[in-house]
Amino acid sequence: MGAKFRSVFDIIGPTMIGPSSSHTAGAVAIGRAAYKLFNGPIKKVTVYYYESFAKTHRGHGTDYAIAAGVQGFLPADPRVPRAVELARQRGIDIRFVEEEGPSPIHHPNTAVLEVENDQHVVELTACSIGGGSIEIRQFVIDNITVQPAGPLPIIVYIDRGKQHPNAVELTGVVEKIAPFYRKQSLKGPVNDIYEFDIKNYMSAATIQQIEKQFKDVICL
């Protein structure tokens, strides 16, 4: 099994609303990643599609899949096909842009999402690699650019006010219950961001423990 997939279920794909695991379920996962990273009320989403996504997003349900993800829906949620309409009913301005050039991350199923409200902007660059799995190649929070290894799972900690002892404690906890193969520490003028590339999928209990113990932790 290649390094891009962590288990056989990555290849089989999730329980989902179709038609495509790559263009629909994977797109929901991209939208959900942006939703989690933004972590607040969303007013506007601009989705930039590249290559295959740019050519087939309408027919393959990628638009409603992205819209579902940024509202926090799961791939099998029956609301997925109506997600664009539901987003606009909620006051979310969602737009889709077909880019003519090559993917900035050299993958045919690439989407760049800009998610914002009046106080906050998050940018996410990701691709759908098959079976509903995605890779996150880059995200920007608080003007800090983070480039993960790619595959999920990923843990992100936003160290607001640079409370470094909290980051040290988090690192120790993650080493014990969710071992990682790479850690990044990125400095910003007000906040710092720590990113952990986790070796294996985490259980729901592990995610709950980490998110309960540490404020401003995001488990992707």
Side-chain angles (χ1 to χ4, degrees):
M1 186 175 297
K4 299 292 184 182
F5 298 101
R6 301 296 178 85
S7 79
V8 68
F9 297 105
D10 289 347
I11 300 171
I12 296 172
T15 303
M16 53 168 267
I17 303 293
S20 165
S21 62
S22 293
H23 289 236
T24 313
V28 173
I30 291 171
R32 277 180 59 83
Y35 166 80
K36 290 181 179 181
L37 289 168
F38 193 81
N39 193 28
I42 295 170
K43 291 190 69 174
K44 183 178 180 180
V45 180
T46 307
V47 183
Y48 300 91
Y49 290 126
Y50 292 85
E51 299 191 25
S52 177
F53 266 9
K55 295 175 182 177
T56 65
H57 63 99
R58 291 189 182 91
H60 283 188
T62 310
D63 292 354
Y64 62 67
I66 293 276
V70 298
Q71 294 175 86
F73 300 169
L74 292 169
D77 193 308
R79 295 173 294 176
V80 167
R82 298 178 52 241
V84 174
E85 174 191 353
L86 293 173
R88 290 171 176 156
Q89 288 176 1
R90 293 178 176 186
I92 300 174
D93 178 4
I94 186 163
R95 306 181 185 189
F96 305 97
V97 180
E98 298 173 359
E99 296 287 352
E100 295 184 357
S103 161
I105 56 173
H106 312 294
H107 194 283
N109 297 334
T110 295
V112 178
L113 278 62
E114 292 179 356
V115 184
E116 56 190 290
N117 61 23
D118 294 337
Q119 294 82 35
H120 190 40
V121 178
V122 168
E123 180 184 292
L124 170 72
T125 302
C127 55
S128 177
I129 61 172
S133 296
I134 66 170
E135 290 187 357
I136 297 175
R137 300 288 184 84
Q138 179 172 292
F139 60 87
V140 183
I141 299 177
D142 297 333
N143 294 313
I144 301 171
T145 299
V146 184
Q147 295 180 322
L152 303 184
I154 293 168
I155 294 175
V156 178
Y157 173 52
I158 303 174
D159 186 4
R160 302 192 187 280
K162 298 176 178 283
Q163 301 296 315
H164 297 299
N166 292 344
V168 172
E169 183 182 359
L170 172 64
T171 300
V173 170
V174 173
E175 284 179 334
K176 291 179 181 178
I177 66 174
F180 56 90
Y181 61 90
R182 192 181 74 156
K183 170 191 170 185
Q184 297 186 80
S185 304
L186 299 111
K187 309 300 180 183
V190 178
N191 304 321
D192 295 339
I193 293 179
Y194 296 81
E195 185 268 333
F196 302 84
D197 295 296
I198 306 302
K199 291 182 179 179
N200 299 300
Y201 285 119
M202 297 176 286
S203 68
T206 297
I207 293 171
Q208 184 177 30
Q209 177 181 343
I210 294 170
E211 292 182 337
K212 182 177 180 180
Q213 187 171 352
F214 297 95
K215 184 181 178 182
D216 296 317
V217 162
I218 302 162
C219 295
L220 302 175

